[in-house]
Amino acid sequence: MSRPSRPSRVALAALTAAAAACSRGEPDRGPGDAAAPAASPSASPAASGPGDAAPPAAGSAGAPPSAGAPPSAGGEAPPAAGDPMAIHHEAREDLVRLFSLKELTPRERKFRNPELFLEKNFGGGGPSRINQGNKALARHTRSKEQCLEGLRGVVLQTEEQRARCGGHENMVPVFKTARGKAKPAEFCIDIFEFPNKPCELPMVWASPTQAASVCSLQGKRLCTEDEWSLACRGDPEGGEPRTYAYGDALDLAVCHTQTRHREIDGKPCDADTARSAYETCATDTEPAGAYPACRSRFGVFDQHGNVAEIMTRRDRDDGKLYSQLKGSAWFYVEVARAHDAPRPKGQETYPDHCSFSPRWHVEPMENAWHVNYHLGFRCCKTVR
């Protein structure tokens, strides 16, 4: 594999790159736009410990039967509950309240100032800080109450899994199986997109460099591409790998993948720059877990749709760590293609299966600043 070159800072005009997860362009943000000290996440987790069972699959007892709308008793439409926009926060205090940082040792505090990092890197009002998108443009259709009702009875994390993941909330261990026998778990992964809270909106406008620092300050790191793919396609029971997290056939109704871009004040989304994207492109996400069937067999939600995700990849030639964008966003329907379908002529599409390995905005992790209105991340943790 040759060393990837850094992409242009000008948005791609066609539907390419963060691919169709970037169907309206690719703004980048340089280091001058936000203070974001780089972390040094590990790329290869160390194997240790026994394999762990995953929580019940979405179709198991207690899990909701459909991802289309939160279910209710008797199959009736659920009553309207709560304001879907109420969980879209803009104040820095409300955003950082959604997650917790690890307790730093005195030695670590000599080199890191988490309070200063949070102040400089979180907040609404623009693309220079991590937030949930431009609230003035966003449209969310599912309230937190509806989302929680849809997850009622679903086991998100067992006590055994929490202990295996170092006490971290909403993480599950992921492992390979050979001849039907589980191998020791090598890593844990957040079951929701950051901030990894059920029925909270994912955060966007984070660069890979910032995302790595956020994960590090939680005692975690960014997931590698291979880890993310295994959590998506793998089976803790030793079954055959799946094409998609939810099955082997593309189904745009299972995940939040069929909400098209909207014009704002009669104008289309303009993602030529970060500022123009923030002012014209709506971040139409839904709460994490709002589509309960959009879940892998390991128990990981929303690996298709909602927001595309940042991860890392170790280059085979130079050994360096690079950013790797993957997955799809809520508007994937605009560029969707089944994994086994031919590429149509004159139309930019891409397959969003678990093992799809695009090369979107590949940048050295020490200087990776690509951001977007539809790009988020989740964290992993090495199991020791």
Side-chain angles (χ1 to χ4, degrees):
M1 180 186 302
S2 61
R3 177 175 175 173
S5 60
R6 179 185 173 109
S8 169
R9 299 175 62 81
V10 178
L12 299 180
L15 302 176
T16 55
C22 265
S23 65
R24 291 299 182 270
E26 302 304 326
D28 286 309
R29 177 171 69 216
D33 292 319
S40 299
S42 168
S44 301
S48 174
D52 301 81
S60 63
S66 170
S72 62
E76 299 175 353
D83 178 5
M85 299 301 296
I87 54 174
H88 193 131
H89 304 295
E90 295 183 292
R92 179 186 303 111
E93 295 77 10
D94 293 330
L95 292 169
V96 301
R97 194 178 294 122
L98 294 175
F99 66 100
S100 59
L101 304 182
K102 71 173 186 178
E103 187 173 337
L104 298 181
T105 65
R107 177 178 176 79
E108 288 175 320
R109 278 197 168 271
K110 289 182 179 180
F111 302 98
R112 312 186 77 171
N113 185 332
E115 292 77 19
L116 181 61
F117 176 84
L118 296 178
E119 179 181 350
K120 290 183 174 295
N121 289 275
F122 284 83
S128 62
R129 291 183 173 87
I130 303 168
N131 54 58
Q132 295 171 325
N134 188 339
K135 187 173 183 178
L137 307 183
R139 178 187 295 167
H140 314 298
T141 65
R142 302 189 181 192
S143 68
K144 184 173 185 177
E145 292 82 359
Q146 288 173 310
C147 176
L148 290 172
E149 175 62 22
L151 292 175
R152 183 161 53 90
V154 177
V155 177
L156 301 178
Q157 179 193 48
T158 67
E159 289 300 323
E160 181 183 5
Q161 289 173 326
R162 182 164 182 162
R164 193 78 186 102
C165 295
H168 287 279
E169 184 181 43
N170 298 327
M171 294 195 87
V172 291
V174 178
F175 47 90
K176 297 179 180 179
T177 57
R179 298 184 179 92
K181 184 177 180 181
K183 292 185 176 182
E186 297 183 348
F187 68 96
C188 290
I189 188 171
D190 287 347
I191 64 175
F192 300 112
E193 293 158 331
F194 181 80
N196 193 30
K197 294 288 186 183
C199 300
E200 298 288 353
L201 295 173
M203 294 192 191
V204 293
W205 293 115
S207 70
T209 301
Q210 288 172 304
S213 290
V214 172
C215 291
S216 178
L217 285 171
Q218 296 179 90
K220 307 177 185 178
R221 56 173 172 75
L222 281 175
C223 302
T224 69
E225 178 187 15
D226 289 343
E227 290 170 339
W228 191 96
S229 297
L230 177 60
C232 180
R233 70 173 186 267
D235 181 10
E237 300 299 325
E240 291 297 317
R242 278 181 177 172
T243 305
Y244 304 95
Y246 50 81
D248 290 316
L250 176 64
D251 188 339
L252 295 176
V254 174
C255 301
H256 184 31
T257 54
Q258 55 178 335
T259 300
R260 296 177 178 273
H261 279 93
R262 296 180 289 113
E263 289 191 347
I264 306 297
D265 295 330
K267 299 180 180 179
C269 167
D270 175 12
D272 187 56
T273 66
R275 173 54 62 178
S276 67
Y278 187 84
E279 294 177 348
T280 66
C281 303
T283 299
D284 289 343
T285 51
E286 296 293 357
Y291 286 71
C294 186
R295 188 187 193 197
S296 77
R297 288 173 289 183
F298 277 105
V300 184
F301 291 83
D302 300 323
Q303 290 187 276
H304 310 287
N306 223 16
V307 294
E309 299 182 29
I310 300 166
M311 54 208 72
T312 64
R313 179 176 54 82
R314 184 73 65 178
D315 189 84
R316 295 177 181 176
D317 290 343
D318 61 20
K320 293 183 179 180
L321 196 66
Y322 289 87
S323 62
Q324 173 71 68
L325 311 187
K326 192 169 177 174
S328 58
W330 64 91
F331 51 88
Y332 177 60
V333 63
E334 298 176 356
V335 288
R337 184 173 88 239
H339 69 285
D340 54 357
R343 183 192 300 269
K345 294 182 179 180
Q347 181 182 0
E348 198 66 44
T349 61
Y350 78 97
D352 185 36
H353 57 82
C354 292
S355 298
F356 181 58
S357 182
R359 293 293 183 263
W360 299 333
H361 293 277
V362 174
E363 302 171 291
M365 276 303 298
E366 66 270 16
N367 192 32
W369 293 102
H370 173 73
V371 297
N372 226 315
Y373 64 101
H374 53 69
L375 179 60
F377 64 99
R378 75 176 76 219
C379 304
C380 281
K381 177 180 173 62
T382 301
V383 172
R384 301 189 184 280

